[in-house]
Amino acid sequence: MIADPHPSYAALREAGPAHRIIGSDGLPVWLVTRYADVRQGLADPRLALDKRHASPGNYRGLALPPALDANLLNMDPPDHTRIRRLVGQAFTPRRVEQLREPVQRIADELLDAIAPLGHAELIATYAGPLPITTICDLLGVPTDDRRDFRAWTDTLIAPDPGRPQDARAAVGAMLAFFTRLLARKRAEPGDDLLSALIAVRDQEDRLSEDELTSLAFLILFAGYENTVHLIGNAVLALLRHPEQLAALRADERLIGPAVEELARFDGPAPVAIRRFAREDLTFGQVTVPAGETVLLSLAAANRDPERFAEPELLDLRRADNGHLALGHGIHYCLGAPLARLETEIALTTLLRRFPALALAEPAEQLSHRPSLRARGLLRLPVRF
């Protein structure tokens, strides 16, 4: 499932619309795999994100302290609507387009550093630093704090079951980090998103303190995690499909639909954030009882032959690409415009600068993070 999940997803789609499985924490969860069901489930208000709708003994997701847990991934309307409206203006396509020049500058600087070497490990030197630098600049996070945050995030993305203390330590360190950061921003506000959110909290009282801290955590965590995986997976897919790589090199105007197809083909999130059935729900002939946990498989839906012609084929010119890699409905990825912009710039700049780009190791030797929640490479060695 980690190395190549798609044969398993295909078997599950064929066998039925929903399956009760055992999650990575040993607790039961329902996995939904067909496109029509997943898309409907993403927008269905009967599937709640608030953990209060979960019955005892079911998978509930990552355990976080209240100051980090009061975020959009655990909220339903009206709280979700209120908080998303407060921060949504920072991530509109128009506002994100204003970041094009800074993101381009970051990409160029990162590639300037590795260009003389002739080889690099792209996750550590490019796919990771680009989104973390961008989102930290947007929030106003000091440069000295960014390396620690990446390490904590990596620990939470794929926690070691044999070392639960590592995840607990990472959560504790992140909470302390955000507490210090908010205090610093209150004392010395700047022209950044975090200072603006603090003003909303302190001057307008439209956020609780836990909601403010949790929102900062989510923007930074999700703004890094999804994009680093999207960029890394996209580069690997292109290098493994030389005819598609050649098409993109020949016409950079293809980059928009290319990013959509690359997200469909091997997106950063195999499943959407867990949901809890408010009432008995039916998927086909399968009934999910109220209170049980549901995982909607974005990866399985994005290769459903009932929705996509030749879904196993990477086709950068694919028409009608209604993929679900970034979600659907009111919980659609808040940072999707920024993720698209960063991925477009990351790919076009990399391919333009390094015309001889190639894998430095066989693709079969590359490893993905040991996580069913995040789909990302541990490393991506290339030569150029």
Side-chain angles (χ1 to χ4, degrees):
M1 282 296 290
I2 299 298
D4 182 11
H6 295 289
S8 297
Y9 288 142
L12 288 168
R13 278 195 311 265
E14 182 68 23
H19 305 271
R20 197 167 192 261
I21 64 170
I22 298 300
S24 56
D25 60 356
L27 297 176
V29 60
W30 289 88
L31 185 69
V32 181
T33 55
R34 294 176 181 174
Y35 181 94
D37 294 324
V38 171
R39 189 176 189 275
Q40 179 180 333
L42 289 169
D44 193 335
R46 297 174 301 170
L47 283 171
L49 269 67
D50 191 326
K51 296 177 184 178
R52 289 176 295 182
H53 293 281
S55 59
N58 283 284
Y59 171 80
R60 294 166 64 89
L62 189 65
L64 293 171
L68 300 180
D69 208 40
N71 65 65
L72 291 170
L73 299 186
N74 296 320
M75 288 182 177
D76 302 307
D79 287 338
H80 176 273
T81 307
R82 169 176 57 87
I83 292 180
R84 184 164 177 128
R85 185 177 295 133
L86 288 175
V87 72
Q89 290 302 309
F91 295 98
T92 63
R94 183 181 66 83
R95 290 290 297 274
V96 166
E97 183 60 30
Q98 296 172 2
L99 297 174
R100 181 174 293 275
E101 185 176 335
V103 174
Q104 183 65 64
R105 183 179 66 251
I106 294 166
D108 286 329
E109 290 173 352
L110 291 170
L111 293 184
D112 285 344
I114 63 174
L117 304 176
H119 61 88
E121 196 285 279
L122 279 189
I123 302 300
T125 61
Y126 188 58
L130 190 148
I132 197 67
T133 302
T134 300
I135 203 70
C136 284
D137 285 350
L138 183 65
L139 278 170
V141 177
T143 303
D144 292 344
D145 293 327
R146 299 176 185 184
R147 180 174 297 179
D148 286 342
F149 183 82
R150 284 183 61 193
W152 300 327
T153 300
D154 289 345
T155 298
L156 294 182
I157 290 172
D160 183 347
R163 294 182 57 83
Q165 67 273 18
D166 292 350
R168 289 194 295 268
V171 169
M174 292 179 94
L175 179 55
F177 163 72
F178 281 110
T179 302
R180 292 193 306 270
L181 180 60
L182 290 171
R184 189 185 316 172
K185 287 293 177 182
R186 277 193 166 101
E188 301 175 5
D191 183 21
D192 54 67
L193 178 57
L194 195 52
S195 295
L197 291 173
I198 290 172
V200 168
R201 159 65 181 150
D202 293 352
Q203 299 170 22
E204 304 176 33
D205 197 26
R206 296 160 71 190
L207 286 170
S208 71
E209 191 67 18
D210 281 353
E211 288 171 345
L212 171 63
T213 308
S214 296
L215 188 55
F217 161 72
L218 179 62
I219 293 172
L220 198 50
F221 185 94
Y224 162 67
E225 179 194 0
N226 282 334
T227 310
V228 62
H229 299 333
L230 183 56
I231 294 171
N233 294 352
V235 173
L236 177 60
L238 288 171
L239 293 177
R240 298 187 74 177
H241 295 81
E243 73 291 346
Q244 297 298 309
L245 175 59
L248 184 55
R249 285 192 185 280
D251 184 4
E252 283 192 3
R253 294 172 300 180
L254 191 59
I255 188 61
V259 169
E260 303 306 315
E261 173 66 353
L262 290 161
R264 180 200 70 83
F265 186 76
D266 198 7
V271 296
I273 188 71
R274 80 287 173 273
R275 286 158 163 80
F276 310 106
R278 294 176 185 261
E279 59 187 67
D280 290 358
L281 297 178
T282 300
F283 296 94
Q285 302 300 313
V286 179
T287 297
V288 175
E292 300 216 350
T293 307
V294 176
L295 290 179
L296 302 168
S297 177
L298 309 176
N302 283 336
R303 295 208 188 184
D304 187 344
E306 294 295 318
R307 175 59 180 84
F308 299 100
E310 297 184 281
E312 302 299 322
L313 180 70
L314 179 68
D315 180 6
L316 302 189
R317 292 188 171 87
R318 183 181 296 274
D320 186 27
N321 191 348
H323 69 78
L324 302 174
L326 299 172
H328 174 66
I330 65 169
H331 298 291
Y332 182 75
C333 177
L334 181 67
L338 181 56
R340 286 186 168 98
L341 177 74
E342 291 174 314
T343 305
E344 287 183 10
I345 290 174
L347 295 179
T348 54
T349 308
L350 181 68
L351 299 182
R352 189 185 306 134
R353 293 280 301 270
F354 299 149
L357 184 71
L359 288 173
E361 295 179 8
E364 295 73 21
Q365 294 182 11
L366 300 179
S367 298
H368 289 81
R369 294 190 175 280
S371 170
L372 296 181
R373 192 184 67 80
R375 172 78 174 164
L377 291 161
L378 289 169
R379 48 194 294 277
L380 181 56
V382 297
R383 51 183 171 78
F384 40 83

